[in-house]
Amino acid sequence: MRIHVVDHPLVAHKLTTLRDKRTDSPTFRRLADELVTLLAYEATRDVRTEQVDIESPVTATTGVKLSHPRPLVVPILRAGLGMLDGMVRLLPTAEVGFLGMIRNEETLKAETYATRMPDDLSGRQVYVLDPMLATGGTLVAAIRELIARGADDVTAICLLAAPEGVEVMERELAGTPVTVVTASVDERLNEDGYIVPGLGDAGDRMYGTAG
């Protein structure tokens, strides 16, 4: 597994505002969207392309376009949905799948409750969207689901990561072709499983709480 922390002043600036507890939900959603686009720029450096011949207004020339099969973007519901627009803005021709996962409070393991993806992902580059890589359990389960469907090139885009979650992914996905792109690897997890200093519950801060 490879982890790439995007070191850029604009990334750090937007992340600082996201961390601020005074930032309201509309501003949080907008900044998260902008930050995802910056992370996606780095995450897609190795997106597969093919050569294409075109006519410019001046002359014939050669360029590139995204290869087929097209990349698949998979937000993990619900918080990952808030990252989708920022990702497809950069990859407008990508296809989109959905993966709903929830933690079983008895086993403490992630379980899938909804899936909308092709059964066969052979040859597809897949980009998974999940704001927080905290304990790592949800992301490991999601990536295993993708690998089981034949994906051989998976990139996870996370706003933040915790060292504990990175360690779990490295252990559980050893030998798997996975890259994690994030704005920061923070200090640690606290006793409640939140990233420190973190930014709180990304889903709640994007959408508010609904009882």
Side-chain angles (χ1 to χ4, degrees), residues 47-53 62-69:
V47 68
R48 295 169 187 161
T49 60
E50 59 188 41
Q51 186 172 297
V52 60
D53 296 323
T62 301
V64 297
K65 66 177 182 179
L66 295 185
S67 300
H68 280 79

Side-chain angles (χ1 to χ4, degrees), residues 14-205:
K14 294 179 190 301
L15 181 56
T16 298
T17 307
L18 288 173
R19 291 189 193 276
D20 192 333
K21 67 180 182 180
R22 298 170 297 180
T23 301
D24 60 22
S25 287
T27 305
F28 191 97
R29 284 195 300 271
R30 177 177 59 81
L31 287 173
D33 177 79
E34 294 172 0
L35 180 54
V36 169
T37 299
L38 293 173
L39 297 179
Y41 182 81
E42 293 292 332
T44 54
R45 282 187 178 274
D46 296 323
V47 68
R48 295 169 187 161
T49 60
E50 59 188 41
Q51 186 172 297
V52 60
D53 296 323
I54 61 168
E55 292 276 349
S56 83
V58 178
T59 187
T61 187
T62 301
V64 297
K65 66 177 182 179
L66 295 185
S67 300
H68 280 79
R70 290 180 291 176
L72 181 70
V73 177
V74 181
I76 298 179
L77 306 179
R78 83 176 156 145
L81 198 58
M83 302 172 67
L84 182 57
D85 285 350
M87 185 71 188
V88 297
R89 182 179 298 113
L90 205 64
L91 281 178
T93 61
E95 295 181 352
V96 178
F98 296 95
L99 190 55
M101 308 199 77
I102 192 169
R103 188 174 74 165
N104 184 310
E105 295 303 329
E106 294 182 2
T107 65
L108 300 182
K109 293 184 178 180
E111 296 180 351
T112 302
Y113 67 84
T115 277
R116 183 75 174 181
M117 292 187 296
D119 292 330
D120 185 6
L121 297 177
S122 301
R124 302 287 292 267
Q125 286 181 295
V126 183
Y127 297 90
V128 185
L129 309 180
D130 194 12
M132 314 297 283
L133 170 51
T135 63
T138 298
L139 210 43
V140 165
I143 291 172
R144 282 178 172 164
E145 175 74 21
L146 298 170
I147 298 296
R149 293 173 183 244
D152 63 357
D153 188 336
V154 179
T155 299
I157 300 176
C158 306
L159 302 182
L160 289 180
E164 295 89 338
V166 172
E167 182 180 344
V168 166
M169 288 191 65
E170 289 177 336
R171 182 177 69 248
E172 298 295 327
L173 298 172
T176 303
V178 175
T179 300
V180 175
V181 177
T182 184
S184 174
V185 176
D186 276 10
E187 296 173 11
R188 59 183 172 86
L189 291 178
N190 66 15
E191 58 276 8
D192 297 317
Y194 282 95
I195 299 175
V196 178
L199 48 76
D201 186 298
D204 286 350
R205 295 198 64 194

